[in-house]
Amino acid sequence: MGIEPGRLQFSWISSAESTKFVDVVNQVTDAIKALGPNRYLVKNQAKVA
Amino acid sequence: MKTITIEMSQWAAGIAKLKDAYRVWSPVRENDYHVFKELNKDALPDLDFSNTRLSAKQAIYPQTQKMFEYTLDESRPDHHIMHEAPDTTGPQAVIGIRPCDAAAFLLVQKNFNTPQYKDPYWVKAYEKTTLVGLACNNPCSTCFCTSAGGGPFDEKGLDVLLVADKDQYLAKVLTDKGAKLLDAAGFKDEADAAGAQVTIDALREKADAAINSEIATDQLGAQETLTLYDAPFWEEVAFACINCGTCTYLCPTCWCFDIQDEVRGHNGVRMRNWDSCMFPLFTLHGSGHNPRDTKIHRVRQRFMHKLKYFVDKYDDGIQCTGCGRCVRACPVNIDIRNVCNQMNRFGTCPA
Amino acid sequence: MLQYQDKIQAIAARLLKECKVDLVIGFRRGTVPMMNEPYVARTAEQTTNLIWDSHCGINLTNYLTDRKEKIGIVAKGCDSRNIVTHILENKIERDQLYIIGVPCQGMVDKRKIAQAVNGAVDQVIENGNEITIKGPAGDKTVTKADVLQNNCSLCKHRNPTIHDEMVAEPVAEQTDIDAYESVRAIEAMDIDAKRAYFEKLLEPCIRCYACRNACPLCYCPTCFVDEHRPQWVGKSTDPVDNMTFHFLRAYHCAGRCTDCGACERACPVGIKVRIFTKKLEKDCLELFGWEAGLSLDTRPPLDVYRPEDPDDFIK
């Protein structure tokens, strides 16, 4: 679709895996920050005539 | 009024000059078909077309149009106050509009420009637009303008009628607006009006004769509205319909719109978008009730509006100019000509 | 084709006379060249209106959704696959249907025909594999294979996968087809090229929803684009809203699309919308070995869990 690799991530975390949850959230946050703000599929102001 | 001769050799320079004074819209080819686009600096109209896929209505009545803008930023004194969207565009010209599309504006005008109510967006845009028509020398097999109150050389609603004659255009000036436009383009070679009219008449007769499809509308006004509404043929007419918006969006005379607000951060716009009576959402009430909740209701509404309610309300013909776009583009071949004829003859003795 | 038509009419008349069905859904002759109209015959007399030729590209499964009658339906390969999907998704019951199977030899693309004669078409005459086009610019004869709808050129299931009666012997299935060349071309693009490609592709979209409404899969009582509390997608033809609509609609068709081509055929502005569903079709084939609508006995990949389902994307 034109979305950068890494911007969309999937993880499977059991409710018993709290440490994994923290790790994954931190990793994802860092990865997305490194990519910078999303510019694609973002609508700032509708295109109007 | 006079007739101007435009040699093909003058054409490009004239259009370029015109762009100094007008926003110029005209057909351009995109993929397999032509559409009306605002021409950029170097582009020329592509007038080698039968008709555009979408009508020219978007030049005056865009599919999405800003009506108001507002801010939600409470530090500003005018927060939450709607301001009418500023209109910064100057005069515009539509070059190469077919007579059916120009006539359509006159029908739409009955709704958007009445003595009591005026739609400011539509009225302003219409007033600043000069319509330069292109007569149809070769109408399509699905055109039926001659039985919808017009014709391939019809001058209604136009400011100039261009008639392509061999390697020149004969530009028949129909209004002062039209004269001004030709002047701005530097088209000044006046033709012998009588001689030009003979040429135009000959081409018109040929084009009129080439229209081989027609509708009958003479009984529509006399039909009893509720009887027609309850006619059994609607079920058959509606069966194939998939309730898409193709017919209404391609139609030059469909005028319905839906108002939407969109806010990003603190900045909001109130816009209107074309809407379609084919969509279930069109008449959905806030309560959840929908008075036209099945497709037969919706299909019937479209045809009854164009061919019966409009006829009764304005007593000036049908709300259709016979451009044939819906006939050509309907994905499931619902043909307004057939529907109109069925409505017209309904209840009459076949003899 | 004419033999098909005679047989369709005969079967339909018999079914209605014997009260095996309440109605038969097929096609009747259109009012313009290359267009036929979906039609319902309710009496044996009306079955003489039923026709068959290479312009029956509309997917008739669209007309079955939630109907309660006993229905005879004319079905080519792709329609039959959508009927299977409809049955699996409880939109119609198998024993409500009498499926009149038509071995299909592909449907003609009216845009390609118009291109062949550079514009207006007055009449199209079929003769086996030859198609003669009559237009104001003169006559032209083309080979049917050259003017097929793209999905028909790539079709591997021309014969109905489910039927109660066939109108003719099965036709040979096409082999050695590279169905996903167009998808691979896009997969090979870098991100910026992909974005530019999709933006350009959808630029002409007028949001008439003909693609969605022509699609037998799109039967949701309220489509996500029509939801308004909350409203997920803007109503204007803003590029982002256009893309949101097309991407999301395609995803809703994953594992269900039979590439019948109804969407692309219906589009009034000629957008090649199948590129989206084609990608998902390819993924379903590669990841799950799945093609939609081949059998009533297997559940679609997106509504079953199997331990061997690929999960490389999950970290």
Side-chain angles (χ1 to χ4, degrees):
Chain A
M1 271 168 52
I3 292 177
E4 307 97 314
R7 198 173 283 284
L8 180 66
Q9 303 193 19
F10 296 87
S11 292
W12 185 282
I13 309 170
S14 153
S15 58
E17 296 176 310
S18 58
T19 50
K20 185 178 175 191
F21 178 76
V22 172
D23 289 347
V24 168
V25 170
N26 282 332
Q27 278 165 22
V28 171
T29 316
D30 291 345
I32 300 294
K33 273 185 184 159
L35 282 171
N38 182 28
R39 290 168 293 112
Y40 186 51
L41 288 173
V42 173
K43 185 169 146 189
N44 284 312
Q45 196 87 79
K47 196 181 135 202
V48 285
Chain B
M1 280 198 151
K2 55 191 178 183
T3 300
I4 304 279
T5 309
I6 307 172
E7 298 296 332
M8 290 304 170
S9 54
Q10 302 170 280
W11 180 248
I15 296 292
K17 217 170 149 202
L18 203 56
K19 287 183 202 162
D20 294 336
Y22 294 85
R23 290 167 75 196
V24 177
W25 292 73
S26 91
V28 290
R29 196 180 167 90
E30 262 189 10
N31 304 324
D32 290 347
Y33 51 85
H34 285 79
V35 281
F36 275 96
K37 279 269 155 90
E38 194 184 331
L39 292 186
N40 56 28
K41 202 169 143 283
D42 301 316
L44 273 177
D46 179 354
L47 298 186
D48 180 20
F49 71 110
S50 56
N51 211 346
T52 50
R53 183 54 60 105
L54 271 75
S55 82
K57 77 175 167 187
Q58 55 181 334
I60 286 173
Y61 176 41
Q63 179 161 11
T64 298
Q65 184 170 30
K66 181 154 64 163
M67 307 172 80
F68 300 99
E69 49 195 21
Y70 51 90
T71 177
L72 305 179
D73 179 356
E74 298 197 1
S75 69
R76 283 183 44 182
D78 62 344
H79 68 87
H80 291 86
I81 294 175
M82 296 268 177
H83 296 286
E84 194 172 323
D87 179 9
T88 53
T89 57
Q92 61 175 7
V94 183
I95 311 285
I97 183 173
R98 291 297 189 188
C100 48
D101 282 3
F105 289 125
L106 299 179
L107 301 181
V108 173
Q109 179 167 242
K110 291 176 191 292
N111 181 52
F112 281 154
N113 189 4
T114 72
Q116 297 87 10
Y117 302 106
K118 301 202 185 296
D119 180 300
Y121 309 98
W122 191 92
V123 171
K124 266 188 226 158
Y126 186 59
E127 279 170 356
K128 71 182 178 191
T129 305
T130 306
L131 299 175
V132 180
L134 178 64
C136 281
N137 286 342
N138 300 301
C140 308
S141 59
T142 39
C143 293
F144 54 102
C145 50
T146 47
S147 52
F153 279 56
D154 196 31
E155 296 168 4
K156 263 199 314 292
L158 285 172
D159 299 300
V160 176
L161 178 69
L162 293 178
V163 179
D165 175 34
K166 303 185 195 86
D167 50 359
Q168 62 177 17
Y169 288 118
L170 293 170
K172 200 171 164 189
V173 184
L174 303 167
T175 64
D176 292 340
K177 246 184 180 176
K180 220 176 124 197
L181 178 136
L182 291 176
D183 214 35
F187 298 138
K188 294 195 166 84
D189 302 341
E190 208 165 318
D192 160 40
Q197 193 58 46
V198 172
T199 311
I200 294 173
D201 284 345
L203 287 166
R204 191 193 63 227
E205 276 168 34
K206 206 172 137 228
D208 280 352
I211 301 263
N212 52 20
S213 107
E214 59 177 22
I215 52 170
T217 58
D218 56 315
Q219 299 300 316
L220 291 171
Q223 294 279 6
E224 178 63 43
T225 303
L226 283 178
T227 315
L228 198 55
Y229 182 92
D230 289 326
F233 60 74
W234 291 116
E235 198 181 333
E236 190 177 326
V237 168
F239 174 76
C241 182
I242 56 173
N243 271 171
C244 71
T246 301
C247 48
T248 48
Y249 283 1
L250 267 51
C251 178
T253 70
C254 274
W255 62 51
C256 290
F257 60 82
D258 175 39
I259 297 176
Q260 291 266 316
D261 275 24
E262 284 194 10
V263 178
R264 173 86 183 171
H266 281 129
N267 300 320
V269 292
R270 175 160 295 182
M271 61 169 93
R272 66 173 176 192
N273 300 298
W274 293 350
D275 204 351
S276 169
C277 53
M278 294 294 103
F279 296 159
L281 212 57
F282 186 74
T283 47
L284 184 65
H285 292 182
S287 67
H289 172 66
N290 192 342
R292 286 187 216 131
D293 67 343
T294 66
K295 83 173 167 189
I296 186 167
H297 285 96
R298 299 195 278 270
V299 173
R300 175 169 54 197
Q301 165 63 21
R302 175 172 135 76
F303 290 115
M304 286 291 276
H305 186 195
K306 286 195 178 305
L307 305 171
K308 178 60 181 165
Y309 308 146
F310 188 92
V311 173
D312 290 352
K313 183 165 179 183
Y314 300 108
D315 193 23
D316 191 19
I318 54 174
Q319 191 201 352
C320 168
T321 62
C323 74
R325 285 189 180 85
C326 57
V327 179
R328 291 190 287 277
C330 176
V332 294
N333 189 229
I334 293 176
D335 191 324
I336 192 172
R337 297 171 299 180
N338 279 356
V339 179
C340 182
N341 289 337
Q342 278 191 74
M343 288 171 71
N344 193 64
R345 70 167 176 258
F346 181 66
T348 57
C349 176
Chain C
M1 288 294 163
L2 213 54
Q3 313 84 285
Y4 281 16
Q5 184 170 313
D6 292 345
K7 198 77 194 293
I8 289 169
Q9 291 183 1
I11 296 170
R14 191 191 75 225
L15 292 173
L16 284 163
K17 257 186 223 150
E18 293 173 358
C19 296
K20 287 247 173 60
V21 297
D22 304 316
L23 51 98
V24 176
I25 297 174
F27 287 94
R28 73 170 158 191
R29 175 83 53 222
T31 57
V32 292
M34 300 179 281
M35 282 303 295
N36 293 322
E37 183 183 353
Y39 174 70
V40 53
R42 293 176 190 276
T43 63
E45 291 72 46
Q46 288 174 338
T47 57
T48 54
N49 292 325
L50 293 171
I51 58 125
W52 191 265
D53 59 19
S54 294
H55 313 295
C56 296
I58 294 157
N59 192 325
L60 293 178
T61 310
N62 213 7
Y63 297 92
L64 289 180
T65 310
D66 292 332
R67 288 198 87 109
K68 302 294 171 214
E69 306 98 324
K70 295 221 30 151
I71 303 166
I73 182 164
V74 180
K76 52 192 181 293
C78 50
D79 302 52
S80 78
R81 293 173 64 197
N82 277 102
I83 292 173
V84 168
T85 305
H86 248 48
I87 296 168
L88 288 176
E89 296 177 357
N90 300 320
K91 297 318 289 178
I92 194 88
E93 287 185 32
R94 177 66 185 97
D95 55 14
Q96 271 176 275
L97 298 177
Y98 192 94
I99 300 163
I100 306 167
V102 180
C104 180
Q105 292 168 49
M107 292 295 147
V108 157
D109 184 337
K110 59 179 192 239
R111 296 185 182 96
K112 287 184 185 161
I113 296 272
Q115 274 166 6
V117 290
N118 202 15
V121 177
D122 291 331
Q123 204 189 351
V124 174
I125 303 161
E126 279 184 63
N127 189 4
N129 286 325
E130 282 193 345
I131 291 190
T132 304
I133 313 158
K134 291 178 182 282
D139 296 2
K140 187 167 181 184
T141 300
V142 292
T143 309
K144 185 171 165 184
D146 295 336
V147 291
L148 281 184
Q149 290 184 183
N150 179 259
N151 65 305
C152 299
S153 306
L154 305 179
C155 175
K156 282 185 262 184
H157 301 283
R158 294 180 146 187
N159 295 297
T161 55
I162 182 174
H163 60 82
D164 293 289
E165 188 168 347
M166 292 285 284
V167 302
E169 290 299 312
V171 290
E173 293 292 358
Q174 305 189 106
T175 49
D176 294 330
I177 290 167
D178 180 5
Y180 302 115
E181 193 187 347
S182 58
V183 178
R184 283 198 308 271
I186 294 170
E187 285 171 341
M189 291 178 187
D190 65 24
I191 291 163
D192 289 331
K194 270 186 200 168
R195 290 175 182 177
Y197 175 85
F198 291 134
E199 274 175 19
K200 184 155 188 324
L201 179 74
L202 297 177
E203 198 268 330
C205 178
I206 55 171
R207 295 284 286 282
C208 67
Y209 303 131
C211 50
R212 176 193 73 184
N213 291 16
C215 176
L217 303 174
C218 279
Y219 53 65
C220 289
T222 306
C223 175
F224 71 95
V225 293
D226 291 335
E227 292 275 3
H228 58 295
R229 281 187 299 192
Q231 184 172 315
W232 305 104
V233 190
K235 297 279 182 194
S236 69
T237 49
D238 184 275
V240 173
D241 292 321
N242 280 357
M243 277 191 275
T244 308
F245 163 57
H246 286 282
F247 284 143
L248 243 66
R249 191 189 93 78
Y251 273 108
H252 288 178
C253 300
R256 307 165 66 216
C257 176
T258 63
D259 200 24
C260 71
C263 47
E264 209 161 276
R265 183 186 174 90
C267 179
V269 291
I271 300 173
K272 304 232 178 307
V273 286
R274 283 174 43 252
I275 194 67
F276 300 114
T277 44
K278 207 72 192 155
K279 160 70 176 160
L280 293 160
E281 187 194 304
K282 174 173 178 276
D283 285 354
C284 281
L285 185 64
E286 288 173 355
L287 295 170
F288 305 105
W290 172 261
E291 287 180 283
L294 300 188
S295 152
L296 284 172
D297 305 323
T298 338
R299 295 302 303 178
L302 296 188
D303 77 9
V304 284
Y305 170 73
R306 288 177 307 184
E308 67 272 25
D309 282 347
D311 58 0
D312 301 340
F313 60 96
I314 297 177
K315 283 195 226 168

